[in-house]
Amino acid sequence: GSQSLVWLKSQKIGGETVETGPKICLPVDKRNTIWFIFRTVKSEDSEVCSRCYLSEDGLIFYCAALKVKELVVAEYHRKIKEAFEVFDHEANNTVDVREIGTIIRSLGCCPSEGELHDLIAEVEEEEPTGYIRYEKFLPVMTEVLLERRYRPIPEDTLLRAFEVLDSSKRGFLTREELIKYMTEEGEPFSQEEMEEMLSAAVDPESNSIHYKDYIAMMVVDES
Amino acid sequence: MGCGTSSSTKDRKSEKALKAALVIQNWYRGYSARLKARQRYALTIFQSIEYADEQGQLQLSNFFSFMLENYTQIHEKDPELVARLFGRTLQDSKDRQEYVSFVDVPDSYNGPRLQFPLTFTDIDLLVEAFKQQQILHAHYVLEVLFETKRVLKQMPNFTQVKTSPTKEITICGDLHGKLDDLFLIFYKNGLPSGSNSYIFNGDFVDRGKHSMEILMILFVSFLVYPNDLHLNRGNHEDFMMNLRYGFTKEILHKYKLHGKKILQILEDVYTWLPIGTIIDNEILVIHGGISESTDLNLLHRIERHKMKSVLMPPISIDEDQDTDLKKTKTGANVVPREGKTNESPSEQLPKHEWEQVVTVFSASNYYEEGSNRGAYIKLCCDMTPRFFQYQVTRATCLRPLYQRVNTMESSAIRILKERMLSRKTDLIRAFQLQDRSKSGKLSMGQWAFSMENTLGLNLPWRSLSPHLVTTDKNGNINYMSTFQDIHIQKPVKEAQSTLIETLYRYRSDLQIIFNVIDSDHSGLISMEEFRAMWKLFNSHYSIHIEDFQVDELAERMDLNKDGSIDFNEFLKAFYVVHKLEKLNKSDANLL
């Protein structure tokens, strides 16, 4: 039969994602070439090989595809290394376990305390020493980034959360209300965390938290 | 139980509240962590640049060594220059009468008046006066300096101290002109006295704004309690370091009439400060610590007053010309219990293994408000040392974290950008080397690599990139945006930008060199001296600036056309303009 193979065309490598371009249908008489690629690919699905890319020059694209992933992973590695090194005070490729949460979050992820706890368990030594080694941290964190786990909370979700707590829809929460919710519900804040949040969030004149303004301020600060 | 429907509504409601709380907590923890990370990055920037500066000092130091080695050649060409440059180390001791008696204290002077011989009332007097922002009159400053020198001269290189169960000793590290920290220490720990001993382990001056006040309090305390207040020399107790790091400027600013006299005497006083203190024969307290190859025997024996500066090799040709005394920035090194050191310094010291090294640093907010805490140590006999930490803050309550982080971060990014600007030409070259297609863009990896290699700073470039450059939608970097909102103000319009950039980059070193040549502290050097110095500098630092360009510049700098150059004015002109700022912080940028 005159089956044709569907190929996906790659785009220039930039940023983190590899974009795929329009599909190209190749006539079967290109089969020899295609077989050559298949031999190296060992793809299960012989009709559509999403990992093969065709270029103007010629063959060896599966390699290019792999190379793209390699490049992405290499960049992740460097990013993770940078973040890790800043907290590696003794320059011996270890960080205090209490700083791991900060490192993971500084890389753009937002795990809950429970999720963080699980991650730490994955990177700790068999017998916890209080220190996490880079060699153990790197592969785990790379997977987290590749899988895009623990995405940050979008601004409107955050706003809605405040609105839920503000049942009478006043536009603000009193200091006591915020303290109650943050220290009694969910994954409660420590006293230090609570004080830290209050110091920035509370409007000293009204002694309340105008959450819409607060969120807007925090978002600007981070941009 | 209440009625069915209302309890399930309640459950739903509380479940919603729980979810909402989780969202807020999750978001907040992420935000807070990123703030802390930003704070750490800022600190890393400060530390890397400081470390790089120290390496830069090495280059200056090598320059002076190189000059010394080529002494004869230079001497042939310009004997005057040599005399000025190296002559200062061979000066006679200055006459006290000559200096002090010519400085009168007017009746209108409202500041503290010290009474010699000094007593504890003078210490109190100074502390109170300095709290009121008063300045001690030059007459008293000079008296204190002469007296301190006289007493220090009689002391050995290492002070021996003993503690007892009733007599602890407090060790403080670098203060760097931060008077508030000294006050805080005295407030928490008491003023020095016969029953309250202190060791101050060097680096009392430079960087902070009250180096003179700290020095005066320490010296006066030392004169009142010479057996209980111990001072070690740090690498900043050094006239060259002071030129670069601010103390010289502070003195000339506070003492417009007599500043130069004070500087001359101070130079000497520094050289007589002891190298270190030994506690109970077991603990060594020394600024910057020691290395594996340090020979303590040698340190006991050397003539310490011949070490004018950490940057300048000792001139006298002695068999003991061991310049192993490389000093680093860190504070005390408290060394261990194992192995007592031998009493008599002339015998071979047994090689012992140091059990423990402790570094103490006493200037809180050293880099910027909120950057770090300070500490001191209390020691006694065989008991474990106790550590005390503190942090000075202006307001009664701390500003919110995000404001403190913003302050630190902008400060750090500023100095980083200035550093980048001083290497603009090299950076552009590095970028272009990688940008084969001349697109004006590089990948993140390429940009980070160029930055790290050219600047020699080990920083988290990827994380810092949003503050430094712009990126396109593919995540590639527009590398010329590295220089978009910052430029060096040209003091002379016609001068080429590479020349300007070079002068900007080396301005600290040049300032030191010029000041060294200018031994009479007139602020002026002759055109010939400038040219001769520049040629040497050029060859040693391998700078590619044509002689004629420098000549041209020198002509322009000689504003009076009288054959002399006011180099301080000249260097002041090289300030960096940050486009987005309204105020010109020219003085802050000079150092």
Side-chain angles (χ1 to χ4, degrees), chain A residues 15 75 78 82 86 89 182 185-188 193 196 218 221-222, chain B residues 18 25-26 28-29 31-32 34 40 406 460-463 474:
Chain A
E75 261 306 294
R78 276 180 231 125
E82 267 187 7
V86 163
H89 305 299
M182 294 294 103
E185 302 276 359
E187 291 176 324
E193 283 174 314
E196 216 179 78
M218 296 296 110
D221 184 49
E222 290 231 276
Chain B
L18 169 67
Q25 285 157 346
N26 181 307
Y28 185 76
R29 285 181 170 124
Y31 170 74
S32 174
R34 285 188 293 277
R40 273 255 113 228
N406 274 337
W461 294 107
R462 286 162 184 78
S463 313
N474 290 328

PDB file of all heavy atoms in Angstrom, chain A residues 15 75 78 82 86 89 182 185-188 193 196 218 221-222, chain B residues 18 25-26 28-29 31-32 34 40 406 460-463 474:
ATOM      1  N   GLY A  15      14.475  29.006  24.452  1.00  0.00           N
ATOM      2  CA  GLY A  15      13.694  28.835  25.674  1.00  0.00           C
ATOM      3  C   GLY A  15      13.631  27.410  26.142  1.00  0.00           C
ATOM      4  O   GLY A  15      14.577  26.658  26.013  1.00  0.00           O
ATOM      5  N   GLU A  75      20.186  22.949  30.495  1.00  0.00           N
ATOM      6  CA  GLU A  75      19.856  24.271  31.039  1.00  0.00           C
ATOM      7  C   GLU A  75      19.229  24.142  32.417  1.00  0.00           C
ATOM      8  O   GLU A  75      19.549  24.915  33.324  1.00  0.00           O
ATOM      9  CB  GLU A  75      18.880  25.031  30.130  1.00  0.00           C
ATOM     10  CG  GLU A  75      19.553  26.043  29.227  1.00  0.00           C
ATOM     11  CD  GLU A  75      20.434  27.047  29.951  1.00  0.00           C
ATOM     12  OE1 GLU A  75      19.924  27.874  30.732  1.00  0.00           O
ATOM     13  OE2 GLU A  75      21.662  27.000  29.757  1.00  0.00           O
ATOM     14  N   ARG A  78      21.882  23.565  34.941  1.00  0.00           N
ATOM     15  CA  ARG A  78      22.643  24.753  35.325  1.00  0.00           C
ATOM     16  C   ARG A  78      21.830  25.654  36.231  1.00  0.00           C
ATOM     17  O   ARG A  78      22.357  26.221  37.182  1.00  0.00           O
ATOM     18  CB  ARG A  78      23.091  25.518  34.081  1.00  0.00           C
ATOM     19  CG  ARG A  78      24.376  24.923  33.524  1.00  0.00           C
ATOM     20  CD  ARG A  78      24.864  25.640  32.296  1.00  0.00           C
ATOM     21  NE  ARG A  78      25.128  24.686  31.239  1.00  0.00           N
ATOM     22  CZ  ARG A  78      24.591  24.752  30.023  1.00  0.00           C
ATOM     23  NH1 ARG A  78      23.768  25.702  29.704  1.00  0.00           N
ATOM     24  NH2 ARG A  78      24.900  23.833  29.130  1.00  0.00           N
ATOM     25  N   GLU A  82      22.903  26.614  40.026  1.00  0.00           N
ATOM     26  CA  GLU A  82      23.034  28.000  40.500  1.00  0.00           C
ATOM     27  C   GLU A  82      22.279  28.199  41.786  1.00  0.00           C
ATOM     28  O   GLU A  82      22.794  28.757  42.767  1.00  0.00           O
ATOM     29  CB  GLU A  82      22.437  28.959  39.463  1.00  0.00           C
ATOM     30  CG  GLU A  82      23.409  29.497  38.493  1.00  0.00           C
ATOM     31  CD  GLU A  82      22.790  30.562  37.615  1.00  0.00           C
ATOM     32  OE1 GLU A  82      21.639  30.980  37.853  1.00  0.00           O
ATOM     33  OE2 GLU A  82      23.471  30.984  36.687  1.00  0.00           O
ATOM     34  N   VAL A  86      24.070  28.841  45.774  1.00  0.00           N
ATOM     35  CA  VAL A  86      23.876  30.049  46.583  1.00  0.00           C
ATOM     36  C   VAL A  86      23.630  29.694  48.050  1.00  0.00           C
ATOM     37  O   VAL A  86      23.959  30.454  48.946  1.00  0.00           O
ATOM     38  CB  VAL A  86      22.713  30.881  45.994  1.00  0.00           C
ATOM     39  CG1 VAL A  86      22.199  31.880  46.979  1.00  0.00           C
ATOM     40  CG2 VAL A  86      23.169  31.578  44.732  1.00  0.00           C
ATOM     41  N   HIS A  89      26.732  26.928  51.792  1.00  0.00           N
ATOM     42  CA  HIS A  89      27.619  27.850  52.493  1.00  0.00           C
ATOM     43  C   HIS A  89      29.035  27.344  52.683  1.00  0.00           C
ATOM     44  O   HIS A  89      29.960  28.119  52.803  1.00  0.00           O
ATOM     45  CB  HIS A  89      27.029  28.227  53.856  1.00  0.00           C
ATOM     46  CG  HIS A  89      25.638  28.773  53.742  1.00  0.00           C
ATOM     47  ND1 HIS A  89      25.351  29.907  53.035  1.00  0.00           N
ATOM     48  CD2 HIS A  89      24.458  28.336  54.243  1.00  0.00           C
ATOM     49  CE1 HIS A  89      24.045  30.150  53.104  1.00  0.00           C
ATOM     50  NE2 HIS A  89      23.479  29.219  53.828  1.00  0.00           N
ATOM     51  N   MET A 182      -5.121  31.486  58.977  1.00  0.00           N
ATOM     52  CA  MET A 182      -3.769  31.049  58.617  1.00  0.00           C
ATOM     53  C   MET A 182      -3.137  30.143  59.659  1.00  0.00           C
ATOM     54  O   MET A 182      -2.290  29.304  59.329  1.00  0.00           O
ATOM     55  CB  MET A 182      -2.852  32.254  58.361  1.00  0.00           C
ATOM     56  CG  MET A 182      -3.243  33.098  57.145  1.00  0.00           C
ATOM     57  SD  MET A 182      -3.060  32.222  55.581  1.00  0.00           S
ATOM     58  CE  MET A 182      -4.750  31.795  55.212  1.00  0.00           C
ATOM     59  N   GLU A 185      -6.279  26.735  60.015  1.00  0.00           N
ATOM     60  CA  GLU A 185      -6.742  25.912  58.892  1.00  0.00           C
ATOM     61  C   GLU A 185      -5.579  25.471  58.017  1.00  0.00           C
ATOM     62  O   GLU A 185      -4.473  26.010  58.107  1.00  0.00           O
ATOM     63  CB  GLU A 185      -7.703  26.742  58.018  1.00  0.00           C
ATOM     64  CG  GLU A 185      -8.915  27.273  58.742  1.00  0.00           C
ATOM     65  CD  GLU A 185     -10.039  26.254  58.807  1.00  0.00           C
ATOM     66  OE1 GLU A 185      -9.863  25.145  58.270  1.00  0.00           O
ATOM     67  OE2 GLU A 185     -11.077  26.573  59.387  1.00  0.00           O
ATOM     68  N   GLY A 186      -5.915  24.495  57.121  1.00  0.00           N
ATOM     69  CA  GLY A 186      -4.957  24.112  56.081  1.00  0.00           C
ATOM     70  C   GLY A 186      -3.641  23.597  56.626  1.00  0.00           C
ATOM     71  O   GLY A 186      -3.606  22.696  57.473  1.00  0.00           O
ATOM     72  N   GLU A 187      -2.536  24.164  56.153  1.00  0.00           N
ATOM     73  CA  GLU A 187      -1.208  23.819  56.666  1.00  0.00           C
ATOM     74  C   GLU A 187      -0.760  25.042  57.471  1.00  0.00           C
ATOM     75  O   GLU A 187      -0.121  25.953  56.933  1.00  0.00           O
ATOM     76  CB  GLU A 187      -0.257  23.528  55.504  1.00  0.00           C
ATOM     77  CG  GLU A 187      -0.596  22.244  54.755  1.00  0.00           C
ATOM     78  CD  GLU A 187       0.310  22.026  53.531  1.00  0.00           C
ATOM     79  OE1 GLU A 187       0.681  23.013  52.873  1.00  0.00           O
ATOM     80  OE2 GLU A 187       0.619  20.855  53.236  1.00  0.00           O
ATOM     81  N   PRO A 188      -1.092  25.065  58.750  1.00  0.00           N
ATOM     82  CA  PRO A 188      -0.965  26.293  59.563  1.00  0.00           C
ATOM     83  C   PRO A 188       0.409  26.958  59.507  1.00  0.00           C
ATOM     84  O   PRO A 188       1.444  26.292  59.426  1.00  0.00           O
ATOM     85  CB  PRO A 188      -1.263  25.812  60.986  1.00  0.00           C
ATOM     86  CG  PRO A 188      -2.040  24.565  60.818  1.00  0.00           C
ATOM     87  CD  PRO A 188      -1.554  23.927  59.562  1.00  0.00           C
ATOM     88  N   GLU A 193       6.039  33.000  60.493  1.00  0.00           N
ATOM     89  CA  GLU A 193       5.434  33.200  59.174  1.00  0.00           C
ATOM     90  C   GLU A 193       4.256  34.178  59.285  1.00  0.00           C
ATOM     91  O   GLU A 193       4.076  35.061  58.445  1.00  0.00           O
ATOM     92  CB  GLU A 193       4.945  31.870  58.600  1.00  0.00           C
ATOM     93  CG  GLU A 193       6.060  30.999  58.053  1.00  0.00           C
ATOM     94  CD  GLU A 193       5.578  29.627  57.621  1.00  0.00           C
ATOM     95  OE1 GLU A 193       4.815  28.994  58.375  1.00  0.00           O
ATOM     96  OE2 GLU A 193       5.960  29.183  56.527  1.00  0.00           O
ATOM     97  N   GLU A 196       5.442  37.730  59.806  1.00  0.00           N
ATOM     98  CA  GLU A 196       6.034  38.227  58.568  1.00  0.00           C
ATOM     99  C   GLU A 196       4.953  38.660  57.595  1.00  0.00           C
ATOM    100  O   GLU A 196       5.043  39.719  56.986  1.00  0.00           O
ATOM    101  CB  GLU A 196       6.856  37.108  57.956  1.00  0.00           C
ATOM    102  CG  GLU A 196       8.114  37.525  57.267  1.00  0.00           C
ATOM    103  CD  GLU A 196       8.848  36.308  56.729  1.00  0.00           C
ATOM    104  OE1 GLU A 196       8.438  35.783  55.670  1.00  0.00           O
ATOM    105  OE2 GLU A 196       9.799  35.879  57.397  1.00  0.00           O
ATOM    106  N   MET A 218       2.162  42.714  45.841  1.00  0.00           N
ATOM    107  CA  MET A 218       3.087  41.582  45.823  1.00  0.00           C
ATOM    108  C   MET A 218       3.443  41.186  44.394  1.00  0.00           C
ATOM    109  O   MET A 218       4.573  40.831  44.096  1.00  0.00           O
ATOM    110  CB  MET A 218       2.459  40.368  46.535  1.00  0.00           C
ATOM    111  CG  MET A 218       2.192  40.587  47.998  1.00  0.00           C
ATOM    112  SD  MET A 218       3.712  40.835  48.935  1.00  0.00           S
ATOM    113  CE  MET A 218       3.587  42.551  49.346  1.00  0.00           C
ATOM    114  N   ASP A 221       5.935  43.583  42.989  1.00  0.00           N
ATOM    115  CA  ASP A 221       7.230  43.359  43.607  1.00  0.00           C
ATOM    116  C   ASP A 221       7.986  42.209  42.939  1.00  0.00           C
ATOM    117  O   ASP A 221       9.201  42.219  42.847  1.00  0.00           O
ATOM    118  CB  ASP A 221       7.020  43.058  45.096  1.00  0.00           C
ATOM    119  CG  ASP A 221       8.322  42.900  45.831  1.00  0.00           C
ATOM    120  OD1 ASP A 221       9.188  43.774  45.672  1.00  0.00           O
ATOM    121  OD2 ASP A 221       8.482  41.902  46.546  1.00  0.00           O
ATOM    122  N   GLU A 222       7.221  41.224  42.475  1.00  0.00           N
ATOM    123  CA  GLU A 222       7.881  40.055  41.909  1.00  0.00           C
ATOM    124  C   GLU A 222       8.221  40.206  40.440  1.00  0.00           C
ATOM    125  O   GLU A 222       9.001  39.439  39.909  1.00  0.00           O
ATOM    126  CB  GLU A 222       6.979  38.824  42.074  1.00  0.00           C
ATOM    127  CG  GLU A 222       6.874  38.401  43.513  1.00  0.00           C
ATOM    128  CD  GLU A 222       7.168  36.927  43.691  1.00  0.00           C
ATOM    129  OE1 GLU A 222       6.247  36.131  43.504  1.00  0.00           O
ATOM    130  OE2 GLU A 222       8.326  36.600  43.996  1.00  0.00           O
TER     131      GLU A 222
ATOM    132  N   LEU B  18     -11.073  25.801  54.065  1.00  0.00           N
ATOM    133  CA  LEU B  18      -9.825  25.042  54.170  1.00  0.00           C
ATOM    134  C   LEU B  18      -9.044  25.159  52.869  1.00  0.00           C
ATOM    135  O   LEU B  18      -7.843  25.452  52.867  1.00  0.00           O
ATOM    136  CB  LEU B  18     -10.159  23.571  54.465  1.00  0.00           C
ATOM    137  CG  LEU B  18      -9.010  22.568  54.342  1.00  0.00           C
ATOM    138  CD1 LEU B  18      -7.977  22.824  55.419  1.00  0.00           C
ATOM    139  CD2 LEU B  18      -9.532  21.141  54.452  1.00  0.00           C
ATOM    140  N   GLN B  25      -1.819  29.992  51.878  1.00  0.00           N
ATOM    141  CA  GLN B  25      -0.590  29.572  52.552  1.00  0.00           C
ATOM    142  C   GLN B  25       0.454  29.123  51.532  1.00  0.00           C
ATOM    143  O   GLN B  25       1.628  29.500  51.617  1.00  0.00           O
ATOM    144  CB  GLN B  25      -0.883  28.435  53.532  1.00  0.00           C
ATOM    145  CG  GLN B  25      -1.576  28.900  54.779  1.00  0.00           C
ATOM    146  CD  GLN B  25      -2.355  27.782  55.454  1.00  0.00           C
ATOM    147  OE1 GLN B  25      -2.591  26.724  54.883  1.00  0.00           O
ATOM    148  NE2 GLN B  25      -2.760  28.004  56.695  1.00  0.00           N
ATOM    149  N   ASN B  26       0.002  28.361  50.581  1.00  0.00           N
ATOM    150  CA  ASN B  26       0.911  27.877  49.553  1.00  0.00           C
ATOM    151  C   ASN B  26       1.549  29.048  48.800  1.00  0.00           C
ATOM    152  O   ASN B  26       2.765  29.118  48.633  1.00  0.00           O
ATOM    153  CB  ASN B  26       0.135  26.969  48.594  1.00  0.00           C
ATOM    154  CG  ASN B  26       1.021  26.413  47.500  1.00  0.00           C
ATOM    155  OD1 ASN B  26       1.713  27.144  46.804  1.00  0.00           O
ATOM    156  ND2 ASN B  26       1.018  25.107  47.361  1.00  0.00           N
ATOM    157  N   TYR B  28       1.814  32.146  49.794  1.00  0.00           N
ATOM    158  CA  TYR B  28       2.657  32.950  50.658  1.00  0.00           C
ATOM    159  C   TYR B  28       4.023  32.312  50.884  1.00  0.00           C
ATOM    160  O   TYR B  28       5.057  32.978  50.857  1.00  0.00           O
ATOM    161  CB  TYR B  28       1.995  33.232  52.014  1.00  0.00           C
ATOM    162  CG  TYR B  28       2.857  34.158  52.807  1.00  0.00           C
ATOM    163  CD1 TYR B  28       2.908  35.518  52.510  1.00  0.00           C
ATOM    164  CD2 TYR B  28       3.728  33.668  53.795  1.00  0.00           C
ATOM    165  CE1 TYR B  28       3.763  36.366  53.168  1.00  0.00           C
ATOM    166  CE2 TYR B  28       4.580  34.525  54.459  1.00  0.00           C
ATOM    167  CZ  TYR B  28       4.600  35.871  54.141  1.00  0.00           C
ATOM    168  OH  TYR B  28       5.458  36.701  54.788  1.00  0.00           O
ATOM    169  N   ARG B  29       4.002  31.008  51.097  1.00  0.00           N
ATOM    170  CA  ARG B  29       5.285  30.343  51.346  1.00  0.00           C
ATOM    171  C   ARG B  29       6.187  30.431  50.114  1.00  0.00           C
ATOM    172  O   ARG B  29       7.395  30.602  50.242  1.00  0.00           O
ATOM    173  CB  ARG B  29       5.054  28.889  51.743  1.00  0.00           C
ATOM    174  CG  ARG B  29       4.547  28.792  53.176  1.00  0.00           C
ATOM    175  CD  ARG B  29       4.318  27.377  53.635  1.00  0.00           C
ATOM    176  NE  ARG B  29       4.071  27.394  55.070  1.00  0.00           N
ATOM    177  CZ  ARG B  29       2.986  26.877  55.637  1.00  0.00           C
ATOM    178  NH1 ARG B  29       2.043  26.329  54.898  1.00  0.00           N
ATOM    179  NH2 ARG B  29       2.845  26.930  56.964  1.00  0.00           N
ATOM    180  N   TYR B  31       6.114  32.811  47.880  1.00  0.00           N
ATOM    181  CA  TYR B  31       6.551  34.204  47.793  1.00  0.00           C
ATOM    182  C   TYR B  31       7.653  34.494  48.795  1.00  0.00           C
ATOM    183  O   TYR B  31       8.680  35.090  48.481  1.00  0.00           O
ATOM    184  CB  TYR B  31       5.335  35.110  48.029  1.00  0.00           C
ATOM    185  CG  TYR B  31       5.676  36.549  48.190  1.00  0.00           C
ATOM    186  CD1 TYR B  31       6.053  37.314  47.093  1.00  0.00           C
ATOM    187  CD2 TYR B  31       5.627  37.149  49.445  1.00  0.00           C
ATOM    188  CE1 TYR B  31       6.380  38.652  47.244  1.00  0.00           C
ATOM    189  CE2 TYR B  31       5.945  38.478  49.594  1.00  0.00           C
ATOM    190  CZ  TYR B  31       6.325  39.225  48.497  1.00  0.00           C
ATOM    191  OH  TYR B  31       6.645  40.538  48.657  1.00  0.00           O
ATOM    192  N   SER B  32       7.446  34.078  50.012  1.00  0.00           N
ATOM    193  CA  SER B  32       8.412  34.306  51.073  1.00  0.00           C
ATOM    194  C   SER B  32       9.748  33.638  50.755  1.00  0.00           C
ATOM    195  O   SER B  32      10.816  34.217  50.955  1.00  0.00           O
ATOM    196  CB  SER B  32       7.828  33.783  52.385  1.00  0.00           C
ATOM    197  OG  SER B  32       8.770  33.856  53.394  1.00  0.00           O
ATOM    198  N   ARG B  34      10.907  32.977  47.779  1.00  0.00           N
ATOM    199  CA  ARG B  34      11.576  33.691  46.703  1.00  0.00           C
ATOM    200  C   ARG B  34      12.224  34.968  47.229  1.00  0.00           C
ATOM    201  O   ARG B  34      13.302  35.369  46.784  1.00  0.00           O
ATOM    202  CB  ARG B  34      10.605  33.972  45.556  1.00  0.00           C
ATOM    203  CG  ARG B  34      10.308  32.714  44.730  1.00  0.00           C
ATOM    204  CD  ARG B  34       9.512  33.029  43.490  1.00  0.00           C
ATOM    205  NE  ARG B  34       8.169  33.479  43.792  1.00  0.00           N
ATOM    206  CZ  ARG B  34       7.139  32.684  44.053  1.00  0.00           C
ATOM    207  NH1 ARG B  34       7.313  31.371  44.060  1.00  0.00           N
ATOM    208  NH2 ARG B  34       5.968  33.174  44.305  1.00  0.00           N
ATOM    209  N   ARG B  40      19.524  36.230  49.437  1.00  0.00           N
ATOM    210  CA  ARG B  40      20.764  35.450  49.345  1.00  0.00           C
ATOM    211  C   ARG B  40      21.538  35.811  48.098  1.00  0.00           C
ATOM    212  O   ARG B  40      22.760  35.883  48.111  1.00  0.00           O
ATOM    213  CB  ARG B  40      20.430  33.961  49.280  1.00  0.00           C
ATOM    214  CG  ARG B  40      20.286  33.302  50.603  1.00  0.00           C
ATOM    215  CD  ARG B  40      21.469  32.414  50.991  1.00  0.00           C
ATOM    216  NE  ARG B  40      22.181  32.952  52.109  1.00  0.00           N
ATOM    217  CZ  ARG B  40      23.512  33.081  52.140  1.00  0.00           C
ATOM    218  NH1 ARG B  40      24.235  32.728  51.110  1.00  0.00           N
ATOM    219  NH2 ARG B  40      24.075  33.567  53.194  1.00  0.00           N
ATOM    220  N   ASN B 406      14.161  44.441  48.927  1.00  0.00           N
ATOM    221  CA  ASN B 406      14.267  45.363  47.797  1.00  0.00           C
ATOM    222  C   ASN B 406      15.466  46.279  47.922  1.00  0.00           C
ATOM    223  O   ASN B 406      16.193  46.511  46.960  1.00  0.00           O
ATOM    224  CB  ASN B 406      12.998  46.218  47.683  1.00  0.00           C
ATOM    225  CG  ASN B 406      11.921  45.518  46.891  1.00  0.00           C
ATOM    226  OD1 ASN B 406      12.215  44.642  46.088  1.00  0.00           O
ATOM    227  ND2 ASN B 406      10.689  45.894  47.106  1.00  0.00           N
ATOM    228  N   PRO B 460      24.914  33.494  40.314  1.00  0.00           N
ATOM    229  CA  PRO B 460      23.795  32.791  39.669  1.00  0.00           C
ATOM    230  C   PRO B 460      23.231  33.651  38.544  1.00  0.00           C
ATOM    231  O   PRO B 460      22.179  34.294  38.689  1.00  0.00           O
ATOM    232  CB  PRO B 460      22.792  32.626  40.807  1.00  0.00           C
ATOM    233  CG  PRO B 460      23.098  33.707  41.780  1.00  0.00           C
ATOM    234  CD  PRO B 460      24.556  33.995  41.655  1.00  0.00           C
ATOM    235  N   TRP B 461      23.903  33.651  37.381  1.00  0.00           N
ATOM    236  CA  TRP B 461      23.555  34.562  36.293  1.00  0.00           C
ATOM    237  C   TRP B 461      22.142  34.350  35.766  1.00  0.00           C
ATOM    238  O   TRP B 461      21.441  35.296  35.448  1.00  0.00           O
ATOM    239  CB  TRP B 461      24.572  34.440  35.157  1.00  0.00           C
ATOM    240  CG  TRP B 461      25.914  34.918  35.564  1.00  0.00           C
ATOM    241  CD1 TRP B 461      27.032  34.162  35.826  1.00  0.00           C
ATOM    242  CD2 TRP B 461      26.310  36.269  35.823  1.00  0.00           C
ATOM    243  NE1 TRP B 461      28.072  34.957  36.219  1.00  0.00           N
ATOM    244  CE2 TRP B 461      27.669  36.245  36.227  1.00  0.00           C
ATOM    245  CE3 TRP B 461      25.646  37.499  35.740  1.00  0.00           C
ATOM    246  CZ2 TRP B 461      28.370  37.411  36.540  1.00  0.00           C
ATOM    247  CZ3 TRP B 461      26.346  38.656  36.061  1.00  0.00           C
ATOM    248  CH2 TRP B 461      27.684  38.597  36.445  1.00  0.00           C
ATOM    249  N   ARG B 462      21.721  33.078  35.666  1.00  0.00           N
ATOM    250  CA  ARG B 462      20.377  32.821  35.129  1.00  0.00           C
ATOM    251  C   ARG B 462      19.305  33.442  35.994  1.00  0.00           C
ATOM    252  O   ARG B 462      18.341  34.011  35.510  1.00  0.00           O
ATOM    253  CB  ARG B 462      20.145  31.315  35.003  1.00  0.00           C
ATOM    254  CG  ARG B 462      20.909  30.728  33.847  1.00  0.00           C
ATOM    255  CD  ARG B 462      21.048  29.218  33.959  1.00  0.00           C
ATOM    256  NE  ARG B 462      21.869  28.721  32.880  1.00  0.00           N
ATOM    257  CZ  ARG B 462      23.186  28.805  32.846  1.00  0.00           C
ATOM    258  NH1 ARG B 462      23.827  29.344  33.851  1.00  0.00           N
ATOM    259  NH2 ARG B 462      23.866  28.355  31.808  1.00  0.00           N
ATOM    260  N   SER B 463      19.483  33.301  37.318  1.00  0.00           N
ATOM    261  CA  SER B 463      18.490  33.872  38.220  1.00  0.00           C
ATOM    262  C   SER B 463      18.543  35.394  38.213  1.00  0.00           C
ATOM    263  O   SER B 463      17.533  36.054  38.424  1.00  0.00           O
ATOM    264  CB  SER B 463      18.716  33.378  39.645  1.00  0.00           C
ATOM    265  OG  SER B 463      18.900  31.990  39.653  1.00  0.00           O
ATOM    266  N   ASN B 474      11.416  33.935  22.831  1.00  0.00           N
ATOM    267  CA  ASN B 474      11.947  32.578  22.797  1.00  0.00           C
ATOM    268  C   ASN B 474      12.887  32.300  23.959  1.00  0.00           C
ATOM    269  O   ASN B 474      13.496  31.242  24.022  1.00  0.00           O
ATOM    270  CB  ASN B 474      12.729  32.337  21.490  1.00  0.00           C
ATOM    271  CG  ASN B 474      11.793  32.287  20.305  1.00  0.00           C
ATOM    272  OD1 ASN B 474      10.657  31.849  20.438  1.00  0.00           O
ATOM    273  ND2 ASN B 474      12.277  32.744  19.168  1.00  0.00           N
TER     274      ASN B 474
END
